[in-house]
Amino acid sequence: MSEQAETGQRPLTLEVDGRTVPSTRGTSVAVACLAAADGPAVFCGMGSCYGCVMCVDGVALRTCITPVEDGMHVTTITGMAPSPEEGQ
Amino acid sequence: MSQREHVEILVLGGGPAGFAAARPLTEAGRDVLVVDENPHPGGAIGRRRFDADASDAAGVRFTGETVCHGVLGRCAVLSRRGELRLVDFDALIVAVGAHELVTPFPGSTLRGVITCGAAQTMLKGSGTFPWRSAVVAGNGPLLLAAASQLVDAGVDVRALVDRGTPTHQPRAAVGALLRTPHQVMREGAGYLRSLRRGHVPLRWGSAVLRVDDHAGAVRSVTIARLGVEGRPDPRTSREVHCDALVVTDGFEPTTDLLRQMGARMQWDRSQRFWTPTRSTALETSLPGVYAIGDCTGIGGHLVAEAEGRLIAEHLLERDERPARRRLAALSRFRSATDAVYVPRTLSERSIAPEAIVCRCEGVRRQTIDEAADLGAEAFRSVKLMTRAGMGICQGRTCTCTIQRLIADQTGLSPTTPPKAQFPVRPMRIAAMAELADVCAPEGMNSHD
């Protein structure tokens, strides 16, 4: 853990709605998702508006103030919708 | 199972105010704990990279990523990543800061529209900005800071749009300059140099008319000069293509916790937001509950630090006079800048009917106006009729704007602060169930 912290820009990956997304240590989960694709609708960026809430390893968190960790599982609101095959 | 502990002094908020209080108290041997929602101490102004060492808290006991859901009696209900943590305290220092206010416009909920604070968090926290170009718009001194930081980070800033003009209050401007601390002057000069280097066009007396999108993300921002009643005049409009719009219209003290605890509040007529009433010892109407920094009125980090030092001297029963003198000098500067930055006309009047005011529930200005026309004089009625302020942010983002709109329509200042019920921040059902096991049920509604 501390070894990783010292390496600064060390690349890591998150899994967002089942897709592998590359990022680097020292980034927020929201910015990692925005840089890789559509990302959440960040607005206040400081934990007040809850526009960036996503499910991170099973807990709903404000991703604008949550640092990325290697191997995090992130589910967006889109990722929570049933797939067309699953029906309504 | 949840953690439960007792501390002598609990400090909510690890920004300049909280730390200025906690450091001397800790050094004097008091049992102090500081908690903050962010991973690191420093607050919004001292934001660090997200991979910075979180244990570096100047000897102060600090826990980051911790949410305070509310205070029940003398017990703060906290959680970290969903895990419940209860902290009983003898004294509580609330130093939770402020949040940004943005006057809504058509397109203000699009992806790529963010506050100045969000832009700064991205730059300082993550060391990156996910868009290539931006327009910076709104009102107040923060626009200059945000625009210059974006230029320094290599972002193409295509315009700085301020509703106010620096020249329409020349007397106030000179007065403010004479009272400006050197530190602030240096910061300001640095911002202006960056803006010149980035060739950023400055559009004073103008505002955002609307934002257009491509697939839900910002494509262009249309700005216009302010005309009748402070509304952007479409005849003067110009479209600026960009990927992001960075906006701010100033700040509002974050008072949800104080209101949930039942602290007495007052409506600040000039700033048009709620602040807690305080004694000269910075104590709220609740014994042993102190409030300092931007959550009591927007003074910035220098005032916040001075109040933190004052509260520490007070609790340690030391000489308070140096801290009081510093605070008095800073408050003269504060009222001078407030005079400069009063927008030419009240910005809420310029909100377009189709603009979404409550972002969580998607309530537009025209819906709120209709509710107000039906006789909804108080915010509570508008809330019940339209669902505005009932979403996941629990009204933090829109309540102040709606109260100002109602005040404009009725010509009356609001008389009742918006109610804040426990929990003031969303809580896991599991944590709530755990809490119910340890708390007497009547504790939940003790001040209702």
Side-chain angles (χ1 to χ4, degrees):
Chain A
M1 191 72 191
S2 63
E3 197 182 295
Q4 265 194 353
E6 283 160 18
T7 52
Q9 292 293 313
R10 184 178 174 140
L12 48 77
T13 58
L14 343 174
E15 196 191 279
V16 182
D17 295 340
R19 228 181 89 211
T20 304
V21 166
S23 188
T24 49
R25 268 196 90 81
T27 306
S28 69
V29 174
V31 167
C33 293
L34 277 169
D38 288 351
V42 173
F43 177 61
C44 80
M46 50 183 278
S48 180
C49 79
Y50 284 73
C52 66
V53 167
M54 298 196 288
C55 199
V56 180
D57 293 335
V59 183
L61 294 179
R62 290 165 290 177
T63 56
C64 71
I65 53 171
T66 305
V68 289
E69 282 168 20
D70 199 15
M72 269 180 166
H73 285 73
V74 181
T75 313
T76 68
I77 285 199
T78 322
M80 284 181 183
S83 64
E85 304 87 72
E86 286 174 286
Q88 292 301 305
Chain B
M1 195 52 215
S2 65
Q3 269 183 288
R4 183 163 194 167
E5 64 174 311
H6 175 273
V7 298
E8 188 187 345
I9 302 164
L10 176 64
V11 181
L12 298 175
F19 261 83
R23 209 176 298 117
L25 288 165
T26 303
E27 282 163 7
R30 298 299 183 90
D31 172 27
V32 182
L33 172 67
V34 181
V35 299
D36 196 287
E37 298 198 334
N38 292 285
H40 303 107
I45 188 106
R47 183 91 54 204
R48 298 181 204 174
R49 273 189 64 91
F50 281 117
D51 55 354
D53 184 3
S55 62
D56 174 27
V60 173
R61 193 151 74 95
F62 173 82
T63 311
E65 293 183 76
T66 300
V67 186
C68 181
H69 300 282
V71 176
L72 305 175
R74 295 265 141 185
C75 177
V77 180
L78 314 173
S79 76
R80 189 172 182 279
R81 297 207 170 183
E83 292 293 315
L84 188 68
R85 182 179 180 188
L86 302 174
V87 178
D88 298 293
F89 55 82
D90 298 331
L92 179 68
I93 299 177
V94 181
V96 294
H99 52 265
E100 270 174 283
L101 281 176
V102 171
T103 311
F105 43 81
S108 55
T109 57
L110 290 169
R111 205 166 54 241
V113 177
I114 60 169
T115 65
C116 282
Q120 290 180 315
T121 306
M122 287 172 177
L123 293 172
K124 288 198 233 172
S126 301
T128 179
F129 189 71
W131 299 282
R132 252 178 275 176
S133 59
V135 164
V136 179
N139 185 234
L142 184 61
L143 292 178
L144 287 174
S148 83
Q149 286 157 358
L150 287 167
V151 168
D152 293 346
V155 177
D156 180 6
V157 179
R158 301 213 167 140
L160 188 155
V161 186
D162 196 321
R163 194 176 277 114
T165 52
T167 49
H168 80 271
Q169 307 247 27
R171 260 201 192 167
V174 171
L177 278 177
L178 291 174
R179 292 185 181 86
T180 304
H182 293 306
Q183 193 182 339
V184 178
M185 291 280 268
R186 270 199 303 278
E187 280 172 19
Y191 297 154
L192 291 172
R193 272 197 301 278
S194 290
L195 295 185
R196 266 203 303 277
R197 207 180 55 244
H199 305 289
V200 178
L202 306 178
R203 310 275 179 220
W204 303 105
S206 301
V208 174
L209 190 62
R210 61 160 201 281
V211 182
D212 290 301
D213 73 303
H214 175 75
V218 173
R219 179 176 59 84
S220 72
V221 177
T222 301
I223 59 174
R225 292 193 63 79
L226 297 182
V228 185
E229 285 192 315
R231 282 176 211 279
D233 182 351
R235 289 170 303 182
T236 62
S237 70
R238 64 168 83 204
E239 191 179 11
V240 183
H241 286 268
C242 56
D243 312 321
L245 172 61
V246 177
V247 278
T248 197
D249 287 292
F251 292 88
E252 181 199 2
T254 303
T255 58
D256 49 358
L257 272 172
L258 289 164
R259 285 182 281 120
Q260 181 269 321
M261 282 184 260
R264 195 175 302 128
M265 307 292 293
Q266 61 194 3
W267 177 255
D268 181 322
R269 276 165 181 274
S270 67
Q271 298 295 311
R272 313 214 308 157
F273 49 51
W274 292 96
T275 59
T277 60
R278 295 187 295 171
S279 70
T280 51
L282 311 182
E283 193 172 21
T284 66
S285 63
L286 308 167
V289 177
Y290 301 85
I292 54 173
D294 278 354
C295 70
T296 67
I298 308 304
H301 65 288
L302 297 176
V303 171
E305 274 165 18
E307 290 196 345
R309 276 201 290 272
L310 175 59
I311 196 73
E313 304 296 12
H314 175 76
L315 292 174
L316 293 169
E317 294 175 27
R318 289 179 183 163
D319 184 7
E320 297 173 13
R321 282 172 299 181
R324 287 201 184 278
R325 276 197 294 274
R326 167 95 175 132
L327 208 46
L330 286 168
S331 80
R332 284 194 294 275
F333 165 61
R334 169 168 158 184
S335 34
T337 31
D338 283 350
V340 176
Y341 273 101
V342 169
R344 227 176 0 182
T345 42
L346 302 173
S347 56
E348 286 73 21
R349 285 189 193 154
S350 69
I351 300 172
E354 70 271 32
I356 291 174
V357 176
C358 169
R359 303 171 65 88
C360 300
E361 296 290 319
V363 184
R364 294 173 198 275
R365 178 187 174 168
Q366 64 201 22
T367 311
I368 291 164
D369 282 353
E370 282 160 19
D373 284 347
L374 288 168
E377 283 177 17
F379 169 71
R380 190 176 150 76
S381 315
V382 169
K383 180 172 162 176
L384 293 174
M385 288 165 85
T386 67
R387 288 198 58 80
M390 292 175 84
I392 189 172
C393 89
Q394 289 165 275
R396 253 186 316 280
T397 317
C398 68
T399 300
C400 188
T401 304
I402 296 171
Q403 287 208 310
R404 288 174 179 185
L405 267 173
I406 297 169
D408 278 350
Q409 307 246 352
T410 59
L412 301 168
S413 291
T415 50
T416 323
K419 214 167 186 178
Q421 304 274 18
F422 180 89
V424 297
R425 308 262 163 153
M427 197 171 172
R428 293 182 91 186
I429 297 278
M432 188 74 102
E434 226 182 300
L435 178 67
D437 287 342
V438 286
C439 274
E442 63 266 27
M444 296 276 196
N445 295 307
S446 55
H447 62 86
D448 226 3

